[in-house]
Amino acid sequence: MENKKYLEQTWRWYGPNDPVTLQDVKQAGATGIVSALHHIPHGEVWPLEDIQERKRIIEEAGLTWSVVESVPVHEAIKTRSAEAGEYIERYKKSLENLAACGIKTICYNFMPVLDWTRTQLDLIMKDGSKALYFDWIDLAIFDIYILKREDAAQDYSDEIQQLAQERFAGMSEADKTDLQFNVLMGIPGEADLSLESLQQSIDIYKNIGREGLKQNLLYFLGAIADTCEANGIKMTIHPDDPPYAILGLPRVVSNEEDLVYLITEQPKSFNGICFCTGSLGAGPKNNLPQILNKVKHRVYFAHLRNVKRDAIGSFYEADHLDGDVDMYAIVKGLSAENQTREVAIPFRPDHGHQMLDDINKVTNPGYSAIGRLRGLAELRGLELGIIRS
């Protein structure tokens, strides 16, 4: 078994201000770091000096900067506005600077306006730990009664509309404020966190539509293709989170059909996938082992987490080995693909419950230390068991 290759264990680190330190990461057993320069405004070039400084900090701690997550794609590119070309040139320069520092696996997403959406950040689990939660009823409340989007109600079943109406009637002003805060947390740094700004963006995408967004994604990939190929860069697109249209916004990276379309329409090998089991797993119709089998040759990075869905499709983030995602089948598939690679596929334990000593600490939602340490340990053991058996 000595000639078997193991996946690269990585850990998302938000930089020097992350309450989870690089020493914590080492003690968790990860060897690779997934990081980004969050202090650089969206759409600006990542300076070579800033990249080198972040790399120095990581390497002095005895770790490797394995993946960039993320170099954000500016809304001007997603909407293909008049400034799109200028923002693409800056994006290409950032990629060149990263490659010059030897960092060549880049994660990004192409979700309109919201990078991710949850309605609650502290759902109490049976064991007292806290998890992230997406509740269709709360989303309907936000959409219909707080955002007051035109014709919003028609996007929800009669059952959800009724439940939303009843729950909204009993909500305090603090409850409504909390819900609005949680949903708007998914808006990245380039926009203000206001309902007016969100509504303006929704109006823009109403005209673009799903087909238009798909074409804008292909336009972006086509524009950066030469830069990626010349510099040996692998782009890995993160699936939509959650993987369906919400708030009237189109989504184009949500299922097997979307992923196969993307790597077929842009067949160059730089165009890869970040296989996120949590995002894809929130889609009731998504068969994850089947999807992985179809796109495995383009998977250059993986996020491994689990979700548990209820009858109406709401979901919470479950323990890594306990949910609707068949994590055994996924890790087995990734491990088999990894044996064919010269360079190990990096994965990270994605999110984790807030638990034990982290319960009362302030951490990035989903990114406390102990829950991810538990997840990484479970995933590491699962991979070892698969390989040794």
Side-chain angles (χ1 to χ4, degrees), residues 104-108 218 221 225 228-229 233-239 253 256 258-276 280 291-303 333-334 337-338 340-341 343 345-346:
K104 301 187 178 186
T105 302
I106 315 294
C107 186
Y108 72 105
L218 291 172
L221 288 169
C228 291
E229 290 193 313
I233 285 170
K234 301 292 190 193
M235 298 295 293
T236 70
I237 193 163
H238 188 284
V253 193
E256 179 181 322
D258 291 343
L259 292 173
V260 170
Y261 173 87
L262 188 59
I263 61 176
T264 303
E265 293 298 310
Q266 176 47 269
K268 293 180 177 178
S269 63
F270 82 90
N271 176 30
I273 291 163
C274 168
F275 198 84
C276 178
L280 292 169
I291 296 173
L292 178 61
N293 195 47
K294 285 276 179 73
V295 302
K296 61 188 177 185
H297 59 294
R298 289 291 182 84
V299 172
Y300 302 138
F301 182 34
H303 289 179
L334 281 173
E337 176 62 23
N338 196 48
T340 72
R341 304 287 180 95
V343 178
I345 301 168

Side-chain angles (χ1 to χ4, degrees), residues 367-378:
Y367 289 97
S368 55
I370 300 171
R372 285 187 290 163
L373 180 150
R374 174 183 171 175
L376 180 59
E378 291 177 343

Side-chain angles (χ1 to χ4, degrees), residues 103-259:
I103 306 159
K104 301 187 178 186
T105 302
I106 315 294
C107 186
Y108 72 105
N109 76 69
F110 217 76
M111 282 178 266
V113 191
L114 297 158
D115 273 2
W116 55 281
T117 305
R118 297 292 183 274
T119 56
Q120 188 178 346
L121 308 179
D122 57 357
L123 180 72
I124 305 293
M125 307 301 290
K126 286 179 181 175
D127 62 5
S129 61
K130 297 176 182 178
L132 303 183
Y133 184 46
F134 177 91
D135 184 351
W136 271 113
I137 301 166
D138 278 341
L139 188 77
I141 290 171
F142 173 81
D143 199 1
I144 299 167
Y145 299 107
I146 298 176
L147 180 62
K148 298 176 181 172
R149 179 171 64 91
E150 186 181 1
D151 299 326
Q154 68 188 25
D155 287 351
Y156 303 92
S157 68
D158 291 343
E159 178 192 8
I160 290 177
Q161 287 183 53
Q162 180 65 35
L163 291 167
Q165 185 180 8
E166 292 168 4
R167 186 182 294 176
F168 181 70
M171 287 175 77
S172 66
E173 288 306 310
D175 292 335
K176 296 171 192 174
T177 300
D178 285 347
L179 177 58
Q180 178 174 324
F181 175 80
N182 291 343
V183 174
L184 295 183
M185 263 197 95
I187 296 179
E190 72 196 63
D192 64 86
L193 301 179
S194 71
L195 294 176
E196 294 74 22
S197 171
L198 177 57
Q199 185 59 63
Q200 287 167 9
S201 297
I202 289 169
D203 291 341
I204 290 170
Y205 280 100
K206 203 171 185 178
N207 293 322
I208 293 171
R210 192 168 189 276
E211 191 55 40
L213 187 61
K214 283 167 73 174
Q215 294 309 312
N216 291 354
L217 173 51
L218 291 172
Y219 155 75
F220 166 67
L221 288 169
I224 65 170
D226 289 349
T227 300
C228 291
E229 290 193 313
N231 291 278
I233 285 170
K234 301 292 190 193
M235 298 295 293
T236 70
I237 193 163
H238 188 284
D240 303 322
D241 184 12
Y244 24 71
I246 57 169
L247 307 178
L249 294 164
R251 294 283 174 91
V252 297
V253 193
S254 293
N255 52 40
E256 179 181 322
E257 182 185 358
D258 291 343
L259 292 173

